[in-house]
């Protein structure tokens, strides 16, 4: 079992920045990749990006590429989502998730999920 706790969400004006954190605990040796997803009101949850825990290989959704950056601290079992140039359409609940065997956008491959943190971008 891997337990995830997100933090860092909040209200920010368009064009601003936020950094989300996701701390993992428990059987963290099982982590193959950590991913970030988001769900806006009335929409399906969508992939934001992911990082492979060993290699550091990164994947991003086209909608956030060049604005969002994922990083990790292996020693602390924590991943970060730095969000710059935020837009109104980035408003969503952001979730981090752990896959034990895959890195990328396939939501079904992520077994453990955090509770989510709200990001609200005012226009």
């Amino acid at each position: 079992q891997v337990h995830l706790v997100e933090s860092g969400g909040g209200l920010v004006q368009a064009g601003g920045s936020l950094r989300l954190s996701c701390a993992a605990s428990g059987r963290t040796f099982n982590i193959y990749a950590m991913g970030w997803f988001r769900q806006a009101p009335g929409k399906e949850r969508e992939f934001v990006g992911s990082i492979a825990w060993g290699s550091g290989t990164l994947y991003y959704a086209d909608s956030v590429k060049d604005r969002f950056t994922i990083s990790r601290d292996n020693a602390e079992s924590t991943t970060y989502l730095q969000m710059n140039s935020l837009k109104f359409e980035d408003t969503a609940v952001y979730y981090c998730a752990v896959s034990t065997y895959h890195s990328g956008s396939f939501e079904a491959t992520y077994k453990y999920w955090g509770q989510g943190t709200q990001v609200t971008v005012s226009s």
Side-chain angles (χ1 to χ4, degrees):
Q1 187 82 5
V2 178
H3 184 59
L4 302 171
V5 177
E6 300 103 333
S7 60
L11 174 65
V12 63
Q13 288 188 332
S17 298
L18 277 176
R19 189 177 81 152
L20 305 183
S21 300
C22 175
S25 60
R27 301 172 73 86
T28 57
F29 56 86
N30 282 335
I31 297 174
Y32 181 85
M34 293 185 79
W36 287 95
F37 293 79
R38 66 186 182 185
Q39 187 168 21
K43 295 187 177 182
E44 293 187 354
R45 189 159 55 190
E46 65 175 0
F47 173 75
V48 174
S50 67
I51 184 165
W53 212 240
S55 67
T57 301
L58 295 163
Y59 296 100
Y60 294 102
D62 288 343
S63 58
V64 305
K65 204 172 292 183
D66 300 326
R67 298 189 299 122
F68 290 10
T69 303
I70 295 173
S71 60
R72 75 196 192 290
D73 182 332
N74 291 62
E76 297 295 327
S77 298
T78 299
T79 186
Y80 304 96
L81 178 65
Q82 177 67 43
M83 305 184 293
N84 298 328
S85 302
L86 282 161
K87 305 176 182 180
F88 176 75
E89 50 265 40
D90 293 319
T91 296
V93 177
Y94 283 72
Y95 299 89
C96 68
V98 159
S99 174
T100 58
Y101 66 97
H102 172 80
S103 182
S105 61
F106 293 104
E107 185 173 330
T109 64
Y110 290 85
K111 181 175 182 180
Y112 303 105
W113 291 81
Q115 81 287 353
T117 186
Q118 177 70 45
V119 172
T120 302
V121 184
S122 62
S123 57

